């Protein structure tokens, strides 16, 4: 099946919002809840670590549910997850003034951080798996993946710039608007039939995931995720409290970081 340039761009645009929304969760959130709400970095770090641990259990379950869904399973999960993700991120980045106790702030942060993380995971699972079921032609799959990665890169760069400029409220509004544009694009792809894979769905078991063959991979993946998350989370504090440079220069540094990462 040949994928048109229009369909590839409509598909890839969703990568923009998923990458655009993922970055503020780990870069903007620590700064917002430390400076505005008075939480310690220890508390914020513990909450973010808890969320990642929850993801380790929710992602396989939701992946299983997506596999079992009848009809256009990827769109059925992708469209609502994008909307919930956008509004959850809006509330996460804009904690209300009536949260006058640390306990209420923590509850608010945990609730919307979990919603953002879980819906982002569901969206990514649906979005990335769709390519394999769209077509079995490797060249056409690469076309879809290329569109996805280009839009994802633009999303990361724009989000990093807005974060360092402290435009969190503006960014959260942009995310909500972009989510509805993405829904319109996805609705126009409803007529795309799914390629039927001949492989049968096996029984899910944690023992099939955690075994001798995969344990080393999980250890390496965990260390890699830890190494990547430390500079990302601490970057805002580094250029403000150590380098003592203004937000515009900090934005240039963060954008340069992601551009160099993409090139490498």
């Amino acid at each position: 099946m040949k994928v048109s340039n229009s369909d590839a761009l409509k598909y890839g645009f969703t990568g923009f919002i998923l990458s655009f929304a993922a970055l503020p969760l780990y870069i903007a959130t620590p700064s917002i809840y430390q400076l505005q709400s008075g939480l310690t970095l220890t508390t914020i770090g513990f909450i973010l670590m808890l969320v990642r641990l929850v993801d380790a259990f929710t992602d396989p379950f939701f992946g299983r549910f997506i596999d079992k869904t009848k009809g256009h399973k990827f769109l059925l999960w992708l469209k609502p997850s994008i909307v919930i993700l956008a509004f959850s991120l809006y509330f996460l980045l804009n904690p209300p003034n009536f949260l006058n106790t640390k306990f209420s702030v923590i509850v608010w942060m945990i609730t919307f951080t979990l919603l953002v993380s879980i819906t982002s995971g569901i969206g990514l699972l649906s979005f990335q798996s769709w390519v394999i079921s769209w077509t079995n032609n490797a060249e056409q799959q690469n076309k879809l993946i290329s569109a996805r990665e280009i839009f994802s890169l633009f999303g990361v760069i724009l989000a990093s710039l807005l974060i360092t400029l402290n435009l969190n409220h503006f960014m959260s509004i942009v995310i909500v608007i972009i989510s509805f544009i993405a829904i319109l694009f996805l609705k126009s792809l409803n007529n795309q039939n799914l390629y039927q894979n001949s492989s049968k769905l096996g029984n899910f078991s944690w023992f099939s995931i955690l075994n001798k063959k995969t344990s080393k991979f999980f250890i390496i993946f965990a260390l890699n995720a830890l190494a990547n998350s430390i500079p990302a989370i601490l970057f805002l504090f580094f250029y403000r409290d150590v380098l003592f440079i203004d937000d515009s220069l900090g934005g240039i540094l963060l954008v340069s970081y992601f551009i160099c990462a993409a090139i490498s």
Side-chain angles (χ1 to χ4, degrees), residues 2 12 90:
K2 187 174 182 180
Y90 177 89

Side-chain angles (χ1 to χ4, degrees), residues 45-225:
F46 179 79
I47 292 172
L48 293 177
M49 182 184 69
L50 176 66
V51 168
R52 295 305 296 163
L53 289 175
V54 171
D55 278 344
F57 293 95
T58 57
D59 281 355
F61 279 114
F62 281 112
R64 182 68 173 182
F65 291 147
I66 293 171
D67 283 334
K68 288 186 173 182
T69 302
K70 304 296 182 182
H72 207 310
K73 54 187 177 183
F74 304 111
L75 281 176
L76 289 173
W77 284 90
L78 184 56
K79 288 189 287 187
S81 67
I82 287 176
V83 175
I84 298 173
L85 168 63
F87 281 97
S88 298
L89 189 60
Y90 177 89
F91 290 119
L92 178 65
L93 297 181
N94 300 278
N97 294 327
F98 62 76
L99 300 176
N100 49 18
T101 64
K102 284 192 176 182
F103 177 77
S104 61
V105 172
I106 290 173
V107 171
W108 182 274
M109 182 181 174
I110 290 176
T111 300
F112 288 104
T113 301
L114 280 173
L115 281 173
V116 169
S117 185
I118 292 173
T119 52
S120 177
I122 295 172
L124 283 171
L125 285 170
S126 306
F127 183 55
Q128 295 178 350
S129 302
W130 188 3
V131 171
I132 306 300
S133 295
W134 190 317
T135 175
N136 63 343
N137 185 290
E139 183 178 346
Q140 299 303 308
Q141 289 177 357
N142 288 334
K143 185 176 183 178
L144 291 167
I145 293 172
S146 297
R148 180 180 76 198
E149 295 306 313
I150 290 172
F151 277 102
S152 296
L153 178 60
F154 283 140
V156 168
I157 292 174
L158 180 58
S160 63
L161 182 60
L162 295 177
I163 289 170
T164 52
L165 293 177
N166 282 325
L167 297 175
N168 297 318
H169 183 70
F170 174 75
M171 178 170 57
S172 58
I173 294 175
V174 170
I175 290 172
V176 173
I177 295 173
I178 291 175
S179 69
F180 286 106
I181 297 174
I183 294 297
L184 292 176
F185 285 156
L186 292 174
K187 284 191 68 175
S188 68
L189 298 175
N190 274 328
N191 59 346
Q192 298 296 335
N193 295 322
L194 296 180
Y195 166 68
Q196 299 299 321
N197 197 315
S198 59
S199 60
K200 294 183 179 180
L201 191 64
N203 294 324
F204 176 78
S205 171
W206 285 107
F207 295 104
S208 64
I209 300 177
L210 302 173
N211 53 53
K212 291 182 178 180
K213 293 182 179 180
T214 60
S215 59
K216 292 181 180 179
F217 167 78
F218 283 127
I219 293 173
I220 295 172
F221 185 80
L223 292 174
N224 179 68

